[in-house]
Amino acid sequence: MSDEPTNGELARRLDAGFDDLKEDMRTLAARLDTKVDSSLLALQQQAQDDRTAALVARVTAIEDDRAREAERRQQEQREIENRRAGDKRLIMTALVVPLLLLLLQVYLASKGSS
């Protein structure tokens, strides 16, 4: 009969088991408090995806604007070059050609009078 525990020893063992169980429950509760709820995580991820999509849209719009601006500048540059070429033709036809014709007439007049 000496192998059987006494009632006091059984009570102490039960109390120790309950204390261990309470400590395990506190540890588990602390760990659960640090975990993120899956619905909250899904909402956070959706918000992050929305911000990323908005950022991508803004960057794309900026790149498109820059490309359009570069194309507009190239078009303006071509127009300026075309105007310069037209101005050169105008100078040639309006100033140089009449001057050459005048010189030719003077030359022919001097040849004819001699």
Side-chain angles (χ1 to χ4, degrees), residues 34-81:
T34 62
K35 298 295 180 186
V36 176
D37 185 26
S38 63
S39 62
L40 179 61
L41 180 63
L43 288 174
Q44 288 174 343
Q45 288 175 343
Q46 182 62 40
Q48 181 65 31
D49 291 345
D50 292 345
R51 285 190 300 268
T52 303
L55 183 61
V56 166
R58 287 179 59 199
V59 168
T60 303
I62 289 170
E63 288 175 347
D64 291 344
D65 287 344
R66 285 187 178 173
R68 280 193 297 272
E69 180 66 22
E71 180 61 32
R72 186 185 61 79
R73 285 183 186 156
Q74 288 176 354
Q75 181 65 29
E76 286 177 358
Q77 187 65 31
R78 285 191 294 266
E79 288 174 4
I80 289 170
E81 290 172 1

